[in-house]
Amino acid sequence: MVGAFQDGDGRPTLGNLDALTSDAALSALKGSLVLSATTALIGAALGALLAYLVVSLPSQSLLRRTTLAISGVLAQFGGVVLAFAWIATIGSVGIVTKAMSDVLGVDIYGSGWLFDLPGLVVVYAYFQIPLMVIVFAPAFEGLRPQWREAAVNLGASTWDYWRHVALPLLTPAFLGALLLLFANAFAAYATAAVLVSQGQPIVPLLIRQAITSEVLLGQANVGFALALEMIVVVTIVMVAYNLLLKRTSRWMR
Amino acid sequence: MNTRKTLVSLTALATLMSVAACAAPEKKADTTTESGVDAATATSAEDFGGMDELVKAAQDEGELNVIALPPDWANYAEIISTFEDKYDIDVNSDQPDAASQDEINAANDLKGTDRAPDVFDLGQSVALANTDMFAPYKVETFDDIPADFKDADGTWVNDYGGYMSIGYDSSKVPDVTSVQDLLGPDFKGKVALNGDPTQAGAAFSGVMMAAIANGGSADDIAPGVDFFAELKKAGNFLTVDPDSGTIEQGTTPVVIDWDYLGSAAAANVDTWKTVVPEEAVVAGYYFQAINADAPHPAAARLWQEFLYSDEGQNLWLKGGARPVRGDQMAEDGTIDADLWDALPEVTGDPVIPTDDQTTTAGEYLAANWSKAIR
């Protein structure tokens, strides 16, 4: 953190923070926020749906246990391996790309979108959705059947129950999970590092450039400043997450 | 309760700090050889008492740490194994895909340990910015090396170079004769650049080549950036980092890179062709240097002797790179003539950007590259 306020010779400076307002840094921050928000929303929506379907199965159901187990594995399946898995699947000579063009004559590869921000969205969703399933399934399980019975006894329809009981209960947990997913995508690096080599569209890649560039020298302190910027964003997200968590736990005892 | 928390945190902090303090003990290695020569300050084989003594001193050390030498880059795989077999010294090749700046970072981070890199192979700007980390050393063939390609004291010496080229798989795309061809519809999603030009020296030279092909110069790289913006708009620019793997798979059918890397790709892809566009000839040399804090100083010096020997130079040539002593060796008849004649043909005066031009162009790229290819 100290390094963010020093120049190459260790003298104090605010110049690095200035560098954060450069076009490249701002567009990387924007890219990071857009990527994290998009994949968090996609992951949260699809993950919540999947969690609901899974939890409504009987607790001994094989399908339920398998889905949860696979989610547990896939939520951690990030990094280099994941990137290569996708390249092998929908890269220019990927299995699916080949099959689609041979059988249907469709070119899903286009001009290499997999290796740009849209590609990152697809690939990140692959670990965001399962993560949502594991963090959100307990919230569904926390909905006690008694509450539904009570609502029905009082004359509520299914819609009334969801509208007035279940959704308000689930909302804090949902928003909390959304923030967790956001932070997860925001901090991910290795997957993006393998897929995207040009233009550094997100902050972690811009930090890589600042530290390892052999064209622009002496940028290490700008890297520290960028890291500080990331810490600030993640701190905001985590504080919000904790507030929501408190609110959720009040209901879910 | 709060006092306890504070105490616990303080203890934890103190523990961490003491661990950090012992992390890298500064070991002042004894670099004096059996015959009483300080290998770390030796500036020529003479200082050891001749090549035989140098070999003996290096063998006593038994190991050599190299970094950022990809096996498929300028034939380094064979160079390393030949050196190991010839002198019976183990070569530890660390982070083969790292960039030049990573080499310097590793040398600083590992300083004082026996894992620090012994020798560097660096791009121009990184090399010239870090000369105080190098140990001056003159190999036996030092006088053969043209004066423009070495520091007078041997602090650094150019090792091998090449020309910026367009490599392509001729079974997938039509023949390429100029940079402009790449804008054509046959190249949709197919043109890759070796790295990001704000990071990698090779990619930087690629943009420089495009600049010169489009009316720019070493002082004005802007037309090169505009060219790639156009390439991106046409949907032709692929943001994949190409290497011999992606070339073999076919993910990157067209690659802008040094010509010697193109010829390495050709080894695995029969239909691979490499052209140096005649309207834009950009040359570049890499820099070789010894780490002043090398944990194996004698082995590091022996490695240099090996690289600049006829054998070492021919091994680089075998990888398609132009060894720095190439012209002299061609005159002396010690070069592998078949390989020398097989290098891609180059016409016109090559442009070699100076350090200042590189810095200016780098700043322009930092401000404009990511915008151009978005």
Side-chain angles (χ1 to χ4, degrees):
Chain A
M1 219 184 270
V2 179
F5 299 99
Q6 285 178 342
D7 64 10
D9 302 321
R11 284 186 298 266
T13 174
L14 290 176
N16 301 320
L17 299 187
D18 263 1
L20 293 184
T21 60
S22 73
D23 277 349
L26 285 179
S27 70
L29 181 61
K30 192 175 138 216
S32 260
L33 294 175
V34 168
L35 171 67
S36 311
T38 322
T39 61
L41 283 172
I42 294 174
L46 298 181
L49 192 65
L50 190 57
Y52 170 70
L53 293 175
V54 163
V55 169
S56 49
L57 293 168
S59 67
Q60 289 308 309
S61 150
L62 187 64
L63 184 60
R64 170 178 174 154
R65 282 185 296 167
T66 330
T67 312
L68 285 176
I70 291 178
S71 296
V73 174
L74 292 187
Q76 299 304 322
F77 182 51
V80 179
V81 190
L82 177 65
F84 282 122
W86 278 94
I87 293 173
T89 313
I90 57 171
S92 72
V93 287
I95 300 174
V96 176
T97 317
K98 283 272 183 228
M100 293 285 268
S101 73
D102 290 352
V103 180
L104 301 172
V106 183
D107 178 20
I108 56 165
Y109 178 68
S111 48
W113 59 272
L114 176 63
F115 303 101
D116 222 326
L117 264 187
L120 288 185
V121 171
V122 171
V123 174
Y124 277 28
Y126 197 74
F127 57 78
Q128 294 278 63
I129 296 173
L131 180 63
M132 184 65 183
V133 172
I134 32 181
V135 297
F136 201 55
F140 275 119
E141 281 168 346
L143 290 179
R144 303 207 187 134
Q146 291 92 326
W147 296 341
R148 180 166 200 155
E149 287 158 11
V152 173
N153 274 340
L154 292 169
S157 65
T158 305
W159 164 247
D160 288 333
Y161 164 72
W162 278 104
R163 171 75 188 76
H164 296 290
V165 181
L167 286 182
L169 279 170
L170 291 174
T171 305
F174 181 80
L175 292 177
L178 192 67
L179 289 176
L180 183 73
L181 258 55
F182 179 90
N184 189 40
F186 193 73
Y189 163 75
T191 317
V194 173
L195 279 178
V196 182
S197 77
Q198 294 293 341
Q200 323 311 331
I202 60 174
V203 181
L205 296 184
L206 197 62
I207 294 178
R208 165 178 74 175
Q209 169 185 311
I211 298 173
T212 66
S213 173
E214 56 185 75
V215 176
L216 310 161
L217 302 176
Q219 298 266 305
N221 295 86
V222 174
F224 291 136
L226 285 166
L228 184 65
E229 177 185 84
M230 287 188 75
I231 293 173
V232 170
V233 173
V234 172
T235 311
I236 295 170
V237 170
M238 280 301 150
V239 167
Y241 177 60
N242 268 319
L243 290 175
L244 277 165
L245 210 60
K246 268 193 191 140
R247 204 176 137 69
T248 325
S249 57
R250 209 167 56 198
W251 288 95
M252 292 291 176
R253 257 194 282 269
Chain B
M1 190 62 193
N2 258 337
T3 337
R4 210 180 128 203
K5 252 190 191 162
T6 320
L7 276 175
V8 170
S9 335
L10 277 178
T11 322
L13 192 66
T15 319
L16 274 178
M17 279 168 62
S18 51
V19 169
C22 349
E26 281 283 313
K27 192 183 70 176
K28 192 61 215 156
D30 181 18
T31 52
T32 314
T33 64
E34 271 176 39
S35 48
V37 183
D38 184 6
T41 58
T43 55
S44 69
E46 300 293 292
D47 287 359
F48 288 91
M51 269 302 277
D52 293 343
E53 291 297 316
L54 171 57
V55 172
K56 234 175 88 196
Q59 280 169 342
D60 283 344
E61 291 172 354
E63 282 182 85
L64 175 76
N65 298 342
V66 299
I67 181 171
L69 302 183
D72 52 3
W73 181 293
N75 202 22
Y76 263 122
E78 191 179 347
I79 294 176
I80 289 173
S81 63
T82 311
F83 180 79
E84 282 184 319
D85 294 344
K86 183 166 182 179
Y87 296 110
D88 191 25
I89 290 173
D90 287 334
V91 176
N92 311 314
S93 181
D94 196 23
Q95 300 184 54
D97 289 323
S100 293
Q101 186 62 39
D102 292 328
E103 301 181 39
I104 299 295
N105 294 352
N108 285 326
D109 293 346
L110 299 171
K111 192 173 177 177
T113 72
D114 56 8
R115 293 190 302 126
D118 288 309
V119 288
F120 302 116
D121 181 2
L122 300 164
Q124 172 174 295
S125 40
V126 174
L128 295 180
N130 293 289
T131 47
D132 52 343
M133 291 177 66
F134 307 154
Y137 183 80
K138 292 184 185 176
V139 290
E140 289 196 314
T141 52
F142 193 73
D143 295 337
D144 266 12
I145 302 164
D148 286 348
F149 295 102
K150 64 188 176 192
D151 174 71
D153 296 324
T155 308
W156 54 262
V157 182
N158 283 141
D159 39 20
Y160 54 87
Y163 294 94
M164 205 18 85
S165 70
I166 302 169
Y168 60 96
D169 188 338
S170 57
S171 69
K172 296 216 173 92
V173 294
D175 273 344
V176 179
T177 52
S178 75
V179 176
Q180 216 63 31
D181 287 356
L182 301 180
L183 291 172
D186 292 325
F187 294 88
K188 196 168 165 54
K190 293 201 170 79
V191 183
L193 179 63
N194 186 12
D196 182 308
T198 59
Q199 279 181 61
F204 173 87
S205 301
V207 180
M208 189 59 88
M209 174 182 85
I212 291 164
N214 288 281
S217 68
D219 293 305
D220 177 21
I221 200 171
V225 175
D226 296 343
F227 172 80
F228 278 96
E230 224 176 300
L231 199 63
K232 174 81 182 176
K233 211 179 287 161
N236 292 5
F237 188 51
L238 181 58
T239 56
V240 177
D241 203 2
D243 57 29
S244 55
T246 64
I247 288 172
E248 211 173 330
Q249 289 164 14
T251 307
T252 53
V254 181
V255 174
I256 299 175
D257 205 344
W258 295 117
D259 55 356
Y260 47 91
L261 300 181
S263 63
N268 300 319
V269 182
D270 294 338
T271 45
W272 194 263
K273 289 186 183 169
T274 305
V275 291
V276 177
E278 59 182 283
E279 78 274 22
V281 183
V282 176
Y285 273 83
Y286 275 82
F287 287 58
Q288 189 71 219
I290 299 173
N291 184 0
D293 295 306
H296 310 108
R301 283 157 176 77
L302 181 61
W303 172 252
Q304 302 297 319
E305 294 287 0
F306 175 69
L307 291 180
Y308 290 96
S309 69
D310 289 352
E311 185 181 8
Q313 298 275 300
N314 273 325
L315 282 171
W316 266 327
L317 178 62
K318 199 171 165 192
R322 287 156 214 267
V324 70
R325 289 179 53 229
D327 288 327
Q328 183 66 43
M329 284 169 63
E331 228 167 85
D332 298 347
T334 51
I335 201 140
D336 188 326
D338 290 346
L339 294 169
W340 186 247
D341 295 336
L343 289 175
E345 206 171 321
V346 175
T347 47
D349 272 339
V351 176
I352 305 180
T354 64
D355 209 31
D356 284 343
Q357 286 168 331
T358 307
T359 312
T360 318
E363 281 162 7
Y364 183 83
L365 283 171
N368 295 289
W369 180 253
S370 57
K371 261 186 287 179
I373 55 145
R374 188 140 302 152

